[in-house]
Amino acid sequence: MFDVHKIREDFPILNQQVYGKPLVYFDNAATSQKPHVVIDSISDYYQKINANIHRGVHKLSQVSTDAYEQSREKIRSHINAKHAYEVLFTSGTTMGVNLVASGFTTLLKKGDEVIVSALEHHSNIVPWQMLCERTGAVLKVIPMNESGELKLDEFDGLLSDKTKIVTVNHISNALGTVNPIKYIIDKAHSFGAAVFIDGAQAVPHLVPDVRALDCDFYAFSGHKMCGPTGSGILYGKEEWLEKLPPYQGGGEMIKEVTFEKTTYAGLPHKFEAGTPNIEAGIVLGTAVDYLNSIGFENIQAQEKKLLDYGTSELLKIDGIKIVGTAKEKTSVISFNIDGIHPYDAGTIIDKMAIAVRTGHHCAQPIMQFFDIPGTIRASFAFYNTTEEIDRLIEAVIKAKTMLS
Ligand SMILES: *Cc1c(COP(=O)(O)O)cnc(C)c1O
């Protein structure tokens, strides 16, 4: 049985006071908190098995290499990739996007097209703009409607044989919209384009099946799914990873180096230059185990309860406008209070010991679309409670009273 109060005991950070009041942590879309098992595994790594991987023949190096490769295999199985070598360790989603956007430099020519969506995080916009600047390719944008849903008929109209890659997020960090990525993937493939999915906001809430989705790339960060910062995954289909050149040169990614010519290592090492964040890679596997032990059905049920409760309670307050009302939504509520700047409201909410995010959420084009300076964003995790939402409602009412 899912007992949220029991689960909260796994997260030591939640049990603290801020400004003399119990902390309410509603900034999970920025980063999640970490359970004991994750925190302890980091310490365990350094106390017991720290050694550089894939290098020494000595015992400790073999043990840490095995732990690293077991974590890769665990993540392969979790996302149902065909081969472990299609699962690359990265420092996070941002690196995954940059690795692929950089690699596509050799594959694009002037006049080719790259499609992004109106709902993207800056890290899934800027690397593609830089790619377009380097190659002369043209960036096209799938527009959205007032609910924060992508306009699929307009997407269909953007596709042509000039389209080389389509890149969208699975779930929007700013609005919580769950995008119809299977439709987007299949449609893009029918024009021969590759598809990159930014899964940063999806993996804390669901298990992506990369083979069923048939995406060409799928990137995510460990720190938003109860794992350590500096850990991340880029899944890429073997045929694409073979086509892309290495991202960084250095140790580990080579087969043979002479001053005349270097030959590169095979997958995944070709993309894993230098000493990685070893303990973060290993402990990401621990975080995946932890989430699976809670169960994604339980996670989704709790988060749906929080989303529904939070939405209906907020809407009882006069002058609240929720930004992002897609039919398919995850547990993110972006909102504004009529006539009040989100930053001012956020300051008062913070003083009530409630951590929400205010601002543009690294998605300025979304704010431009709605013609607002930003939003207040409450993003819930499975360890949050409806009592905490009551605290938020109280704080919003207080902010409204004080500022209007
Ligand atoms: C957080 C986030 C990113 C960037 O992730 P980093 O961990 O900062 O690299 C990209 N896209 C989305 C949708 C995000 O939520």
Side-chain angles (χ1 to χ4, degrees):
M1 268 310 282
F2 181 86
D3 174 356
V4 69
H5 296 287
K6 192 113 205 75
I7 281 176
R8 288 175 71 81
E9 289 170 13
D10 294 342
F11 293 83
I13 204 170
L14 297 178
N15 183 26
Q16 70 173 292
Q17 308 258 316
V18 173
Y19 306 122
K21 303 182 187 75
L23 166 70
V24 172
Y25 187 78
F26 282 165
D27 196 16
N28 294 287
T31 198
S32 69
Q33 296 303 347
K34 321 301 171 200
H36 273 299
V37 282
V38 163
I39 300 167
D40 294 347
S41 300
I42 294 171
S43 161
D44 260 15
Y45 168 80
Y46 285 110
Q47 300 212 35
K48 294 176 188 153
I49 64 167
N50 176 50
N52 211 333
I53 52 171
H54 301 135
R55 285 176 171 81
V57 286
H58 63 81
K59 180 66 185 168
L60 217 49
S61 172
Q62 286 168 23
V63 172
S64 71
T65 302
D66 286 351
Y68 198 69
E69 292 307 320
Q70 276 161 19
S71 176
R72 192 194 305 274
E73 168 54 27
K74 192 175 286 174
I75 294 158
R76 179 209 66 73
S77 153
H78 184 67
I79 64 174
N80 194 30
K82 191 164 176 195
H83 305 290
Y85 55 74
E86 295 175 317
V87 175
L88 311 179
F89 281 111
T90 62
S91 60
T93 309
T94 303
M95 179 178 164
V97 184
N98 278 281
L99 188 157
V100 177
S102 162
F104 262 74
T105 308
T106 56
L107 304 178
L108 296 193
K109 57 179 191 312
K110 198 169 183 314
D112 283 343
E113 293 177 358
V114 174
I115 297 180
V116 301
S117 95
L119 273 175
E120 298 312 308
H121 186 284
H122 295 161
S123 68
N124 199 29
I125 300 174
V126 181
W128 304 108
Q129 282 176 324
M130 292 162 68
L131 169 66
C132 289
E133 274 168 29
R134 286 193 298 274
T135 58
V138 180
L139 194 75
K140 300 269 171 174
V141 183
I142 312 168
M144 66 170 156
N145 64 23
E146 288 289 327
S147 307
E149 293 165 324
L150 295 181
K151 292 184 172 171
L152 293 179
D153 48 338
E154 299 206 24
F155 167 59
D156 294 354
L158 290 177
L159 286 162
S160 74
D161 57 8
K162 285 192 231 156
T163 313
K164 294 299 177 251
I165 186 159
V166 175
T167 178
V168 291
N169 59 39
H170 195 164
I171 296 182
S172 154
N173 64 302
L175 306 183
T177 309
V178 182
N179 286 316
I181 59 167
K182 184 61 185 154
Y183 176 88
I184 291 171
I185 291 163
D186 290 347
K187 199 80 194 181
H189 281 169
S190 72
F191 286 84
V195 182
F196 183 100
I197 303 295
D198 167 356
Q201 292 295 332
V203 288
H205 311 292
L206 55 83
V207 181
D209 181 330
V210 294
R211 259 191 289 178
L213 287 169
D214 197 30
C215 53
D216 302 291
F217 302 99
Y218 194 103
F220 55 95
S221 302
H223 71 94
K224 290 178 179 169
M225 58 184 310
C226 296
T229 48
S231 66
I233 294 294
L234 172 66
Y235 159 79
K237 268 188 199 159
E238 178 175 11
E239 56 187 279
W240 279 108
L241 294 180
E242 290 294 353
K243 247 182 261 184
L244 296 184
Y247 179 49
Q248 293 183 313
E252 184 66 21
M253 53 77 70
I254 53 91
K255 195 153 119 203
E256 198 181 350
V257 177
T258 68
F259 282 111
E260 287 68 44
K261 185 165 173 53
T262 290
T263 49
Y264 304 127
L267 297 174
H269 306 296
K270 172 179 154 188
F271 291 104
E272 294 184 349
T275 301
N277 200 338
I278 302 168
E279 90 287 0
I282 294 172
V283 179
L284 178 54
T286 311
V288 166
D289 282 344
Y290 175 78
L291 290 174
N292 280 321
S293 77
I294 306 283
F296 278 87
E297 319 78 48
N298 291 327
I299 290 173
Q300 285 163 12
Q302 175 70 4
E303 290 174 347
K304 169 106 175 52
K305 183 170 113 185
L306 296 167
L307 175 65
D308 291 349
Y309 184 71
T311 305
S312 71
E313 289 302 301
L314 270 172
L315 288 175
K316 286 180 189 163
I317 306 172
D318 250 7
I320 292 285
K321 183 164 189 309
I322 293 182
V323 183
T325 49
K327 273 183 231 77
E328 296 292 326
K329 247 188 96 162
T330 188
S331 50
V332 168
I333 308 180
S334 252
F335 63 97
N336 273 314
I337 313 171
D338 209 15
I340 295 173
H341 196 285
Y343 182 81
D344 296 335
T347 307
I348 291 173
I349 296 170
D350 168 59
K351 288 291 179 307
M352 310 270 288
I354 300 166
V356 291
R357 179 96 173 245
T358 53
H360 55 62
H361 318 298
C362 299
Q364 286 180 351
I366 299 181
M367 304 305 140
Q368 288 151 14
F369 174 84
F370 288 105
D371 197 20
I372 50 179
T375 68
I376 304 160
R377 181 187 70 186
S379 50
F380 311 126
F382 57 92
Y383 45 71
N384 289 128
T385 66
T386 51
E387 293 80 23
E388 289 181 305
I389 291 178
D390 293 338
R391 294 258 317 273
L392 173 68
I393 298 299
E394 205 186 308
V396 170
I397 293 171
K398 181 164 180 185
K400 196 189 143 189
T401 316
M402 283 175 70
L403 296 167
S404 52

